[in-house]
Amino acid sequence: MAEKSNLYQLDGRVPLVQAVPFGLQHVLAMFVSNITPIIILAGVVGIDKSLSAILIQNCMVIAGIGTLVQLYPVWRIGSRLPVVMGISFTFLSLAIAIGTTQGMGVLMGAVIIGGIVEGLLGLCAKYWLKLIPHVVAATVVIGIGFSLLPIGANSFAGGQGAADFGAAHNWIVGTVTLLTCLICQVFAKGFLRSLSVLVGLIVGYILSVCMGLVDFSGLSECGILSLPKFLPFKPEFEIGAILSVICIFLVSATETVGDTSALASGALHRNVKKKELGSAIACDGFVSSVSGMFGCTPITSFSQNVGLATMSGVVNRFAIATGACIMILGGVFPAVGYLLTTIPQAVLGGCTIMMFGSILFAGFGMIAKCGFSQRNMVIASTALSIGLGFTAATGIFDIFPQIVKTVFADNCVAVVFLLAVILNLLLPSDNMQNPEKQSAEQE
């Protein structure tokens, strides 16, 4: 009984045979979301399947390392909380833009420098966290959700630029995958509900195999064991790309703040400490730099694992660390990486549409928690209207210097984040706007 209760304690001895299932549970909850950004990026940029398989292996290893650092900090890097890390969707739209126009080397150089910047910001977080209140974080999350919707739709149709884009078989596979996710989410109970995306992916993949849409020809060429490949792309450093990625790292920091706060409140039943927030952000940044050295986009905390920890109450660091080790072990088997690259884009689209929609829903929930005051309405509506509207209007930034276009023209999240921060600093607080109304409400 004592050993069982240790699962619900941050520290404590848990038998390996008991810890592994709970660690595996966390891996399954985030596995699809962890590999999907790399698969989509590789497909859009045009990276060949052999290199794509290597990148998927690398991202699994990086996710495991990032999670271990969060659980067992190195100096001040890592929160010592049961935070599970993985490849972030937040950077996907910008990564595609940079990767397709300037190359993967420029993207990796920006990730390495941007990660260092975020890591340093994490070490001195107590001086700037007050600049990102709840309404700013909520507005940014909504902007992220909107920016990802077209990516999910393109994948659903077969992948942007694909010869069979919008073909009937893509519609069939994408629809079946999406419906499976929805049915599992609505009617399943307990742990199976948290695996609804994985169940949908499995069903969609099996259907694709039956329809002859999956190519296994390169599987025989995969070795049994392969270590992660260091620097698959030679880093190049372009100031415009670096500034763009730094902007998104600031957004990622706000997500990490939200996830860490939610984890402390929901699973540990206490308020998060500023030291924990700063250490979590530092891990987010510095491990993202390592991720760039292995050809992967940045990592961040995973909200679905925060929900899983809150629901199950399992917060034992050792139990969750076994999941991180499972991810690392899975990343050194090339056959695993290759099989994941054979997942059709339509299957990923059916899964990601649901995930991207959940990001929007989470943002709306965050707005509701911080209140629908006049001030919050102005911040959210103005930042979202300009951020989403201006970046959708082709050519609107053409009069500005190239560096401004690189940072903002195709990156609505950066525009939304910057405007939300500026408006939050400039607008007076609600109680200053209408003191008579506030006094009446108090009475």
Side-chain angles (χ1 to χ4, degrees), residues 6-7 31 66 83 92 211 228 410 422:
N6 280 340
L7 286 168
F31 184 78
V83 177
L92 183 55
M211 295 175 64
D410 297 314
I422 293 175

Side-chain angles (χ1 to χ4, degrees), residues 4 7 14 120 127 164 176 181 253 278 290 298 301 361 367 389 393 408 416:
K4 182 178 180 180
L7 286 168
V14 177
L120 294 175
Y127 300 108
D164 61 348
V176 170
C181 292
V290 177
S301 57
F361 185 80
I367 286 286
F408 298 112
V416 169

Side-chain angles (χ1 to χ4, degrees), residues 168-201:
H169 58 262
N170 288 328
W171 272 94
I172 293 171
V173 170
T175 302
V176 170
T177 302
L178 176 59
L179 288 176
T180 303
C181 292
L182 291 173
I183 291 171
C184 191
Q185 182 68 29
V186 173
F187 295 104
K189 295 181 179 180
F191 179 54
L192 186 60
R193 176 177 292 177
S194 69
L195 291 179
S196 58
V197 173
L198 183 60
V199 173
L201 187 146

Side-chain angles (χ1 to χ4, degrees), residues 109-263:
V111 169
I112 293 170
I113 299 300
I116 294 174
V117 171
E118 188 195 14
L120 294 175
L121 287 174
L123 295 179
C124 57
K126 63 180 180 180
Y127 300 108
W128 60 267
L129 279 175
K130 58 185 178 181
L131 298 177
I132 309 176
H134 202 68
V135 64
V136 173
T139 304
V140 168
V141 171
I142 293 174
I144 292 169
F146 275 118
S147 72
L148 292 173
L149 293 180
I151 297 173
N154 283 325
S155 293
F156 186 96
Q160 189 172 14
D164 61 348
F165 187 85
H169 58 262
N170 288 328
W171 272 94
I172 293 171
V173 170
T175 302
V176 170
T177 302
L178 176 59
L179 288 176
T180 303
C181 292
L182 291 173
I183 291 171
C184 191
Q185 182 68 29
V186 173
F187 295 104
K189 295 181 179 180
F191 179 54
L192 186 60
R193 176 177 292 177
S194 69
L195 291 179
S196 58
V197 173
L198 183 60
V199 173
L201 187 146
I202 293 172
V203 171
Y205 189 75
I206 293 174
L207 177 61
S208 300
V209 173
C210 295
M211 295 175 64
L213 302 177
V214 180
D215 179 16
F216 295 106
S217 59
L219 185 60
S220 59
E221 301 176 4
C222 295
I224 298 176
L225 187 69
S226 176
L227 296 177
K229 184 175 181 180
F230 186 67
L231 293 179
F233 307 102
K234 182 181 179 181
E236 302 175 34
F237 302 98
E238 297 288 344
I239 185 64
I242 290 173
L243 292 177
S244 298
V245 171
I246 287 176
C247 287
I248 308 304
F249 266 113
L250 297 177
V251 174
S252 179
T254 68
E255 295 177 331
T256 300
V257 168
D259 286 342
T260 309
S261 301
L263 180 64

Side-chain angles (χ1 to χ4, degrees), residues 8 39 60 82 108 128 156 202 212 261 263 287 289-290 299 346 387 401 414:
Y8 308 99
I39 296 175
M60 293 168 66
M108 292 306 113
W128 60 267
F156 186 96
I202 293 172
S261 301
L263 180 64
V287 179
S289 289
V290 177
I299 67 169

